[in-house]
Amino acid sequence: MRPILNILWVIFGGGFIIWLEYLLGGLLLCLTVVGIPFGVQCFKLAGLGLLPFGKDIVDAPGASAIGCVLNVFWLVIAGVWIFLSHIALALALAVTLIGIPFAIQHVKLAMLALAPFGKLVREAP
């Protein structure tokens, strides 16, 4: 069922567009030395944005205080806007019965967009 949902996500849920946006954002951020850690987080979001079904977000072992500080920068500069866009898409999709699974995936992306440092994306059991 997960492969079918992922294919439908790419076609109808905006998965390809989300992946492309995060990928381009990550590439632009990696152009500067200061932006590399933020670019890596964009790549993490891109991977989850392309095929979100069957993946879970877990806390990374050994998360550091530096990650917490970077999360604050991320939240202030981009995290709030990314979060709000995913929540708006989730609300729009949740109106229909067919869109509810896609809405749940947008909420998952929104939660990761708030604080991506210190999180890992893993295959669900």
Side-chain angles (χ1 to χ4, degrees), residues 5-7 15 21-22 24 31 33 36 42 45-46 49 52 55 60-62 65 80 85 89 93 112:
L5 287 171
N6 277 325
I7 290 169
E21 289 173 344
Y22 283 127
L24 290 174
L31 290 175
V33 174
I36 290 173
C42 281
L45 283 160
K55 295 183 181 174
V80 171
S85 67
L89 289 168
L93 286 166
L112 184 61

Side-chain angles (χ1 to χ4, degrees), residues 65-110:
I66 295 172
C68 184
V69 171
L70 291 174
N71 273 331
V72 171
F73 283 125
W74 175 276
L75 182 67
V76 170
I77 294 170
V80 171
W81 302 112
I82 297 170
F83 171 81
L84 290 175
S85 67
H86 282 298
I87 291 299
L89 289 168
L91 290 173
L93 286 166
V95 172
T96 66
L97 187 61
I98 295 172
I100 291 174
F102 297 136
I104 292 169
Q105 299 311 311
H106 273 294
V107 170
K108 185 190 306 183
L109 281 161

Side-chain angles (χ1 to χ4, degrees), residues 4 18 32 37-39 43 50 57 60 65 67 71 87 89 93 96-97 118 125:
I4 293 170
I18 292 169
T32 65
F38 299 101
F43 296 145
L50 183 61
I57 301 167
N71 273 331
I87 291 299
L89 289 168
L93 286 166
T96 66
L97 187 61

